[in-house]
Amino acid sequence: MAGGQPSGRERESRSVNRAPEKLGAAGSGARALDASARPAPSNGASANGVSGNRLLEEPSAPAMVDGFGRRIEYLRISVTDKCNLRCVYCMPEEGLPWLRRDEILSYEEITEVVRVMAGMGLRRLRLTGGEPLVRKDLPRLVAMLAGVPGIDNIALSTNAVLLAPMARRLRDAGVSRVNISLDSLRPDRADAIARRPGTLDRVLHGLDAAEGAGFDPIKINVVLMRGENDDEIADFAELSRGRPLHVRFIEVMPTESNLELSASNFLSCDEALAAIAEVDALEPVPGPPGNGPAAYFSFPGARGTIGVITPMSHNFCSRCNRMRLTADGQLRPCLFGTIQTPLRDALRRGEDLRPLVEETLRIKPEKHLLVRGSSEGSGGLIALSQTGG
């Protein structure tokens, strides 16, 4: 894979997930938010309102099920390993050795992988990078994927720097939902985190364009970093009051390039919820349609929601519903670890991909083995951009 990550296929060790004990805190009259109050993560839904769980009601429909009984209907597709930002938690400032053009799957090859997996039960897609919008003519790929029988929904994860002029074309091609990365609302701080000048204005311009194009839902992803943006938690939460925006706070995950940050600047979502609860009462809510593990809350009368994604403090791997396709054609059953199955060469030889997909399902690990501030469990991953995050 990109950046020289190991490609071993060994099964990672299994262990029993621990249930979260507490989530949130009380403050300024807000009630305590404990694990029992957490809403279930929202399930995927198509643009026409079809539930992502509809296959559970159709026993004859194909289904991909891993060795732990988890139904896999969601594929995150990295269309490029390149990115126009250098976020401190994601990749080294100097970048990475980028993949050659011939190493990257073509749009036709990506579509063929999706066609095969859709015949096995795949229903929902998310396009990621790197930064997916740096790849030329992405709306063409979206239109190709939207035409694959069985695909209900296509989403996009982006830093939104390049989104404004492309938003309408992407929406018309078939993207219905968008996630936008934004880690600070202060221009100087946003530039420092992204390590690129002028970041905030361009991201906010992209956010406005996403609303104007009619993407629904629009989610804002905020990576929590103590001493970097923890004093903006309440400001981010306030965005959900008057606009239909879904602000999600995400715990930083360790990679080879961010070990010091993930150790010294780690901030749990419990602490973020406690800070927000001091502003106003929070109530658990179902949240917007989606495929991820977030638990959602809202202020009274708010148009949007506040979500938390807790890969480090409250493991959610037991609910995993996804696999990942890297830009160079590795099918990864988990974001972290060393397990992956090369599809590209088999695809180019015209071989049947289904046995390879089935094998990847079989070896999908029960859970990640990440350790805060340590490379243990990351499988040598240098940057999240290598696998689509």
Side-chain angles (χ1 to χ4, degrees), residues 308-341:
V308 290
I309 299 178
T310 59
M312 303 304 295
S313 63
H314 302 292
N315 185 283
F316 44 72
C317 296
S318 63
R319 304 191 301 272
C320 188
N321 61 355
R322 70 194 63 187
M323 291 198 288
R324 288 170 167 82
L325 181 66
T326 67
D328 59 346
Q330 299 284 348
L331 185 62
R332 294 179 61 88
C334 181
L335 171 60
F336 293 98
T338 60
I339 301 176
Q340 56 187 19
T341 303

Side-chain angles (χ1 to χ4, degrees), residues 14-229:
R14 301 180 179 179
S15 58
V16 178
N17 291 336
R18 294 175 58 190
E21 297 172 359
K22 283 284 186 180
L23 184 63
S28 298
R31 66 174 181 80
L33 301 173
D34 62 24
S36 64
R38 295 183 71 187
S42 56
N43 293 309
S46 71
N48 61 8
V50 177
S51 168
N53 281 335
R54 63 178 175 79
L55 292 183
L56 297 177
E57 303 168 2
E58 300 177 11
S60 61
M64 294 189 292
V65 180
D66 72 2
F68 299 95
R70 296 172 295 197
R71 200 179 190 99
I72 309 300
E73 299 179 338
Y74 174 37
L75 182 68
R76 295 177 64 101
I77 301 170
S78 174
V79 300
T80 179
D81 60 327
K82 298 180 176 65
C83 189
N84 49 350
L85 302 182
R86 296 290 184 272
C87 296
V88 295
Y89 54 82
C90 185
M91 72 163 65
E93 186 170 7
E94 65 275 13
L96 296 165
W98 307 123
L99 294 167
R100 300 190 312 271
R101 186 180 183 88
D102 64 299
E103 293 178 302
I104 295 175
L105 294 181
S106 69
Y107 285 172
E108 290 75 16
E109 289 170 333
I110 292 172
T111 303
E112 177 60 16
V113 172
V114 169
R115 185 194 65 78
V116 170
M117 294 182 68
M120 302 172 68
L122 179 67
R123 292 296 175 260
R124 302 185 295 281
L125 309 174
R126 177 171 295 278
L127 302 181
T128 71
E131 168 49 45
L133 298 185
V134 304
R135 184 155 178 184
K136 185 178 179 181
D137 200 16
L138 189 66
R140 183 171 73 88
L141 173 63
V142 173
M144 294 167 67
L145 296 174
V148 175
I151 296 303
D152 290 339
N153 192 273
I154 302 174
L156 173 73
S157 287
T158 175
N159 59 38
V161 168
L162 301 174
L163 181 59
M166 299 178 63
R168 185 68 63 177
R169 287 183 62 207
L170 289 163
R171 185 70 181 93
D172 292 344
V175 173
S176 60
R177 299 180 291 114
V178 64
N179 289 11
I180 293 175
S181 297
L182 179 59
D183 302 307
S184 177
L185 297 171
R186 303 178 186 180
D188 57 339
R189 187 177 287 178
D191 288 357
I193 293 173
R195 296 190 285 216
R196 290 293 184 271
T199 297
L200 182 61
D201 284 346
R202 299 179 73 182
V203 173
L204 294 179
H205 191 35
L207 175 59
D208 290 341
E211 285 192 86
F215 292 109
D216 183 29
I218 298 173
K219 301 175 183 177
I220 297 176
N221 290 343
V222 185
V223 175
L224 292 168
M225 292 172 282
R226 189 183 306 278
E228 297 289 341
N229 62 1

